[in-house]
């Protein structure tokens, strides 16, 4: 899934609003053009970004959509110690999934997952997430 990481890195640092840049709004508009249930431009966009990028790269995301919880049944679950760059990381717990991002690496002490994703401090960037906040790690396969 290194191609997903490379694609996301092309947008590194792009801010959600106030940047004078309309790429995030374009991601949401693209999502809305493909689905029946539209979301407002003010929505949290971490899952919208992954939805658009994974579809573009032809990953099988099943029924996943712009809601983080919809990704819980997608892909193959990966044990934390086997996580690889580009795997999908769901933050939260089994009841409330609050964020979705992609894995980069574990911190040297193993207490934090460094993840590349959208809507992280209103940008696409790398941010640390406590290991205890990682609900699930999944690996996607390509559509044949």
């Amino acid at each position: 899934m290194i191609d997903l990481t490379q694609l996301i890195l092309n947008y590194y640092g792009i801010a959600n609003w106030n940047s004078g840049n309309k790429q995030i709004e374009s991601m949401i508009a693209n999502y809305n053009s493909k689905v029946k249930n539209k979301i407002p431009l003010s929505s949290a966009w971490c899952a919208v970004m992954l939805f658009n990028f994974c579809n573009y790269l032809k990953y099988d995301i099943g029924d996943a959509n712009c809601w983080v919880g919809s990704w819980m049944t997608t892909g193959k679950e990966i044990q934390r110690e086997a996580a690889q760059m580009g795997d999908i990381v769901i933050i939260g717990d089994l009841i409330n999934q609050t964020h979705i991002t992609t894995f980069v690496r574990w911190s040297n002490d193993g207490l934090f997952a460094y993840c590349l994703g959208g809507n992280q401090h209103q940008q696409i960037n790398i941010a640390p997430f406590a290991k205890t906040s990682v609900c699930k790690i999944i690996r996607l396969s390509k559509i044949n």
Side-chain angles (χ1 to χ4, degrees):
M1 294 184 53
I2 197 74
D3 58 343
L4 179 59
T5 301
Q6 291 169 337
L7 180 58
I8 296 169
L9 284 172
N10 289 334
Y11 295 87
Y12 193 89
I14 292 177
N16 187 3
W17 313 113
N18 303 323
S19 66
N21 188 318
K22 299 289 184 189
Q23 289 182 314
I24 301 306
E25 292 92 328
S26 295
M27 285 181 196
I28 294 173
N30 185 41
Y31 174 84
N32 282 340
S33 72
K34 294 177 182 173
V35 298
K36 183 177 179 180
N37 297 322
K38 313 298 184 212
I39 62 168
L41 285 178
S42 60
S43 295
W45 49 275
C46 55
V48 174
M49 184 197 76
L50 282 177
F51 176 90
N52 285 324
F53 288 176
C54 288
N55 275 315
Y56 174 78
L57 294 171
K58 307 247 184 285
Y59 279 103
D60 182 3
I61 62 170
D63 293 328
N65 56 42
C66 71
W67 307 110
V68 175
S70 72
W71 293 73
M72 288 292 287
T73 58
T74 297
K76 176 185 175 189
E77 185 167 5
I78 302 298
Q79 296 301 313
R80 287 186 169 115
E81 58 277 358
Q84 296 176 0
M85 187 176 288
D87 287 341
I88 306 293
V89 178
I90 300 172
I91 303 297
D93 57 39
L94 294 175
I95 308 277
N96 293 307
Q97 299 83 42
T98 58
H99 186 62
I100 189 165
T101 185
T102 63
F103 184 79
V104 175
R105 71 174 186 87
W106 290 108
S107 62
N108 291 340
D109 60 10
L111 297 177
F112 293 90
Y114 286 95
C115 297
L116 171 66
N119 206 22
Q120 296 181 173
H121 304 290
Q122 300 298 321
Q123 289 185 321
I124 295 173
N125 61 31
I126 296 173
F129 293 89
K131 182 177 184 178
T132 56
S133 71
V134 174
C135 174
K136 190 173 188 180
I137 300 174
I138 58 175
R139 188 167 298 149
L140 302 176
S141 57
K142 292 273 189 165
I143 297 171
N144 293 330

